[in-house]
Amino acid sequence: MERPGPSEVTGSDASGPDPQLAVTMGFTGFGKKARTFDLEAMFEQTRRTAVERSRKTLEAREKEEEMNREKELRRQNEDIEPTSSGSNVVRDCSKSSSRDTSSSESGESSGSSDDELIGPPLPLKMMKEPGNHIEEDIVGPLPPPLYEDAEDDDDDDDGDSEEEENPVQKIPDSHEITLKHGTKTVSALGLDPSGARLVTGGYDYDVKFWDFAGMDASFKAFRSLQPCECHQIKSLQYSNTGDMILVVSGSSQAKVIDRDGFEVMECIKGDQYIVDMANTKGHTAMLHTGSWHPKIKGEFMTCSNDATVRTWEVENPRKQRSVFKPRTVQGKKVIPTTCTYSRDGNLIAAACQNGSIQIWDRNLTVHPKFHYKQAHDPGTDTSCVTFSYDGNVLASRGGDDTLKLWDIRQFNKPLFSASGLPTMFPMTDCCFSPDDKLVVTGTSVQRGCGSGKLVFFERRTFQRVYEIDITDASVVRCLWHPKLNQIMVGTGNGLAKVYYDPNKSQRGAKLCVVKTQRKAKQAETLTQDYIITPHALPMFREPRQRSTRKQLEKDRLDPLKSHKPEPPVAGPGRGGRVGTHGGTLSSYIVKNIALDKTDDSNPREAILRHAKAAEDNPYWVSPAYSKTQPKTMFAQVESDDEETKNEPEWKKRKI
């Protein structure tokens, strides 16, 4: 820093500050000229210092790196034992390369001051040229040889191949829980995308909600309702956001409810007297199934006995979005029995009663994009079609007791077909495993003729690789959640089973199994009528109603309400409890003085027992009324009995 010279101070400042002015302003430094700094000189000095420091740091790093390289080369020479010529060559190369780098750096530093480095040096890889040897770019220990990497890769491939060969090991079936829906068939299952809530529907018209996080070991549903009155529930599905549930029943109107069971919208019913179903605003016959769009929020699809597949929007319940009309080869109407979206939502697939499978582009309703005439036997209701997670394969569960796989890129014949899978329900479905390596479906049985099974097929070879015996009834619904890695099954005897593995599965059923069953408190079941009297006086106004838990805590502090009631009267002694106190005064009095020795067998004799003594020696009442009391006269009893005549007079008296 440089102080200003005398030439820089001019004017009145040359004679110094005015003392009177300094006293007036209140501080002595007023009027002095501020210091000035030469910024260019300061920057130049700072730049030189930074260059010197960076140069020293770079030289230290170069020395350290050169020492590390020599150590590595010595280790390699000891391990590999190369020839002396080879080692000399390597050392010469390393020395020459280090000299080149040092010379290049010195050349750069000897240049103009504007080209010099300021700050920390660049990394070594950025300073080297791409033409240098690989040993110069590596800092630290050298990587292992290439053949070791190859062996590791081979080992990994072998492990992957083993896992691919055994997809059965990924099936989570080591544990199970049973949810009691009712006594009739569980015909619909739905699980939200997060896997927190399960919803079941059945032939008993009920829809029940199960919360895995809120349930305990009793496995009870927290809500039950009948959204479609007296219609069987055929399909339940959560939306892709998990906030709405599509309810498809035997009626012609689908409903959408929220997570708590409240109705969001109901589709409009169409006019059944219109011939062209595209000109009416809704379905006119019984529904079969429905499905949400996987990408677009608020769009879903339904199919019905009126030979149409319709897409809807939640915001517009008064009219469908579009109408797809399946047709036979001759152009006649055919009823779709099931429908679904592809994984990307661009395709709509439907299976019909004539055994055909038709696939449309979502935006083109006129002609199907793919049409296979006899995918299943005509006259049998295909109960389910579903796409794989990669979107290239379609699985169909036919009413002809078969399960088939189709490649939509070559939709001219099935890839695989499996038979011997009996089904007796129009909603028996199938699904893919989360890794797309297995296909799962259920089988139906007659009552008392065996047990329903969950059958697993390998997708690549379509071999029957695994089976699970579920119960002594048909297996109607199956659902394999990809996030939880748990399998939900709906049966024909009103049960919903959840299969999981503690190591392979996540959350879901694992949350409620570990919770012990809570005991119901009797106080929680009692409710008091709360009368609202806003205009009553404060002394007559009832306190604000509180929750059961808070009310119990308040009552516990009340000495009257928390007083323990007296036990029932029992035990020895007069009246029950008196004789149990032992040697108290009251016990002594009761035992010796106040004992009841009266004989109440004849009340007349008990009253007249002391009559003669009272007459001979009046002491209590008679002297008080001796002057005013009339003389008592009793009627004489005439009797021929001698004993009666000889009896004293007081015994002959009557009450």
Side-chain angles (χ1 to χ4, degrees):
M1 292 184 219
E2 297 179 1
R3 295 180 177 272
S7 60
E8 297 178 6
V9 181
T10 57
S12 62
D13 294 338
S15 61
D18 187 2
Q20 189 67 27
L21 184 60
V23 173
T24 303
M25 297 302 297
F27 51 92
T28 58
F30 184 80
K32 293 183 180 180
K33 186 175 179 61
R35 297 179 181 178
T36 58
F37 303 95
D38 190 357
L39 297 180
E40 293 182 359
M42 293 172 60
F43 287 149
E44 182 65 22
Q45 185 178 359
T46 304
R47 188 180 64 81
R48 291 174 183 173
T49 306
V51 170
E52 291 178 0
R53 288 183 179 178
S54 61
R55 187 178 303 163
K56 292 179 181 179
T57 304
L58 188 59
E59 291 176 358
R61 287 189 181 182
E62 287 177 358
K63 292 179 181 179
E64 186 178 357
E65 291 169 2
E66 187 174 356
M67 293 174 63
N68 292 334
R69 288 174 192 160
E70 291 179 358
K71 290 180 181 179
E72 291 296 333
L73 291 175
R74 290 174 185 173
R75 291 176 185 175
Q76 293 179 4
N77 294 336
E78 292 176 358
D79 296 339
I80 306 175
E81 295 181 358
T83 59
S84 59
S85 61
S87 61
N88 293 331
V89 171
V90 175
R91 289 182 181 176
D92 295 341
C93 292
S94 61
K95 290 181 180 179
S96 62
S97 60
S98 62
R99 290 173 184 172
D100 295 340
T101 54
S102 61
S103 62
S104 61
E105 289 164 359
S106 62
E108 291 175 357
S109 62
S110 62
S112 62
S113 61
D114 296 337
D115 298 335
E116 292 177 352
L117 295 175
I118 299 177
L122 295 174
L124 185 62
K125 293 183 179 180
M126 297 177 62
M127 297 176 61
K128 302 294 180 183
E129 296 181 358
N132 295 337
H133 298 286
I134 188 170
E135 288 87 352
E136 299 176 0
D137 295 339
I138 297 176
V139 179
L142 294 175
L146 296 177
Y147 63 86
E148 293 182 6
D149 294 339
E151 290 178 357
D152 294 339
D153 294 339
D154 294 338
D155 294 340
D156 295 340
D157 295 337
D158 294 339
D160 296 341
S161 62
E162 289 178 0
E163 291 182 358
E164 291 177 358
E165 292 174 0
N166 297 323
V168 180
Q169 297 178 356
K170 298 182 179 180
I171 298 175
D173 65 331
S174 61
H175 295 69
E176 67 172 290
I177 63 172
T178 301
L179 307 177
K180 182 69 175 178
H181 174 83
T183 57
K184 296 187 178 181
T185 302
V186 177
S187 55
L189 283 177
L191 196 61
D192 68 342
S194 63
R197 284 190 178 182
L198 175 70
V199 59
T200 59
Y203 279 7
D204 54 358
Y205 322 132
D206 287 339
V207 174
K208 292 190 176 182
F209 293 79
W210 314 79
D211 189 359
F212 290 118
M215 277 194 306
D216 55 9
S218 60
F219 304 133
K220 293 182 180 179
F222 73 91
R223 183 166 291 118
S224 178
L225 52 96
Q226 292 185 357
C228 300
E229 297 179 352
C230 299
H231 293 283
Q232 295 176 351
I233 307 300
K234 294 193 171 184
S235 176
L236 293 171
Q237 187 179 3
Y238 274 90
S239 62
N240 53 359
T241 55
D243 57 344
M244 293 181 290
I245 305 172
L246 174 62
V247 182
V248 176
S249 63
S251 66
S252 60
Q253 297 172 270
K255 286 188 177 182
V256 176
I257 59 178
D258 61 5
R259 289 175 60 88
D260 297 324
F262 298 101
E263 183 176 326
V264 177
M265 62 89 70
E266 183 180 13
C267 299
I268 192 173
K269 186 176 181 180
D271 190 350
Q272 58 185 349
Y273 297 103
I274 295 178
V275 178
D276 189 1
M277 286 291 101
N279 294 329
T280 184
K281 297 181 180 180
H283 288 293
T284 60
M286 176 184 70
L287 298 176
H288 286 291
T289 187
S291 177
W292 286 99
H293 193 284
K295 302 293 184 182
I296 301 176
K297 182 180 179 181
E299 181 180 334
F300 62 93
M301 168 178 55
T302 55
C303 64
S304 169
N305 260 4
D306 60 2
T308 60
V309 177
R310 300 174 189 261
T311 59
W312 303 81
E313 292 178 348
V314 176
E315 292 79 8
N316 186 17
R318 307 302 301 173
K319 186 178 180 181
Q320 74 273 348
R321 179 182 176 275
S322 57
V323 182
F324 300 87
K325 296 184 289 184
R327 291 285 188 263
T328 61
V329 180
Q330 294 80 16
K332 298 181 180 179
K333 291 182 180 180
V334 62
I335 296 176
T337 57
T338 182
C339 59
T340 186
Y341 280 100
S342 61
R343 295 291 175 177
D344 56 2
N346 295 329
L347 299 177
I348 291 177
C352 306
Q353 282 186 345
N354 64 345
S356 65
I357 295 179
Q358 304 182 27
I359 301 177
W360 292 269
D361 191 327
R362 174 177 166 272
N363 298 319
L364 300 176
T365 63
V366 179
H367 189 71
K369 188 175 183 179
F370 305 104
H371 187 181
Y372 193 82
K373 302 176 184 177
Q374 293 184 355
H376 294 276
D377 293 346
T380 61
D381 293 346
T382 303
S383 57
C384 178
V385 288
T386 181
F387 283 87
S388 62
Y389 286 94
D390 57 13
N392 297 327
V393 177
L394 178 72
S396 61
R397 182 71 164 93
D400 54 357
D401 301 342
T402 61
L403 176 66
K404 296 184 179 181
L405 284 185
W406 309 81
D407 191 343
I408 61 174
R409 295 167 295 185
Q410 296 178 355
F411 202 71
N412 50 10
K413 63 178 182 179
L415 293 175
F416 301 101
S417 178
S419 58
L421 303 170
T423 175
M424 295 183 296
F425 291 89
M427 64 279 300
T428 303
D429 58 357
C430 58
C431 63
F432 286 86
S433 62
D435 57 359
D436 258 354
K437 295 179 181 178
L438 296 174
V439 186
V440 190
T441 187
T443 60
S444 301
V445 293
Q446 296 286 348
R447 181 173 298 177
C449 298
S451 61
K453 297 181 180 180
L454 198 65
V455 187
F456 296 80
F457 294 89
E458 190 176 3
R459 173 183 166 181
R460 187 175 57 183
T461 59
F462 220 63
Q463 294 180 355
R464 197 166 179 165
V465 294
Y466 196 67
E467 292 181 356
I468 301 176
D469 290 337
I470 304 299
T471 183
D472 57 350
S474 302
V475 176
V476 183
R477 290 285 187 178
C478 61
L479 189 151
W480 196 336
H481 196 270
K483 189 174 182 179
L484 301 182
N485 194 23
Q486 298 178 9
I487 302 175
M488 285 70 181
V489 180
T491 64
N493 56 357
L495 301 179
K497 292 198 171 186
V498 182
Y499 289 85
Y500 68 97
D501 190 300
N503 300 322
K504 303 173 186 176
S505 303
Q506 304 292 331
R507 299 177 67 82
K510 294 171 61 178
L511 298 178
C512 56
V513 172
V514 298
K515 296 182 180 179
T516 57
Q517 185 173 352
R518 291 180 297 178
K519 294 182 180 180
K521 295 182 180 179
Q522 187 177 4
E524 293 181 358
T525 61
L526 301 177
T527 57
Q528 296 179 352
D529 295 333
Y530 179 62
I531 302 175
I532 301 174
T533 55
H535 301 292
L537 296 175
M539 61 183 299
F540 300 110
R541 191 176 303 162
E542 293 186 12
R544 184 174 58 87
Q545 196 173 22
R546 299 186 178 185
S547 62
T548 306
R549 177 171 167 271
K550 291 184 178 180
Q551 187 65 32
L552 290 175
E553 292 177 355
K554 183 180 178 182
D555 294 344
R556 184 66 180 138
L557 301 176
D558 191 349
L560 296 178
K561 292 184 178 180
S562 62
H563 177 66
K564 182 180 178 180
E566 296 292 338
V569 177
R574 174 67 177 169
R577 190 176 306 126
V578 180
T580 62
H581 289 284
T584 59
L585 179 61
S586 61
S587 175
Y588 175 79
I589 294 173
V590 169
K591 288 181 179 179
N592 297 279
I593 300 175
L595 293 178
D596 187 5
K597 299 178 181 179
T598 59
D599 184 10
D600 297 337
S601 60
N602 190 348
R604 188 173 188 273
E605 292 182 358
I607 294 174
L608 297 177
R609 183 175 297 166
H610 307 282
K612 184 172 179 57
E615 184 179 359
D616 296 342
N617 188 15
Y619 181 77
W620 297 106
V621 180
S622 298
Y625 296 97
S626 59
K627 295 181 179 181
T628 59
Q629 185 71 16
K631 187 176 180 180
T632 305
M633 298 180 66
F634 297 97
Q636 298 293 329
V637 178
E638 296 181 357
S639 176
D640 296 337
D641 193 355
E642 295 180 358
E643 295 181 357
T644 308
K645 292 180 180 179
N646 296 329
E647 287 182 354
E649 188 66 23
W650 61 272
K651 280 192 176 183
K652 298 178 183 178
R653 296 174 184 174
K654 295 182 180 179
I655 299 174

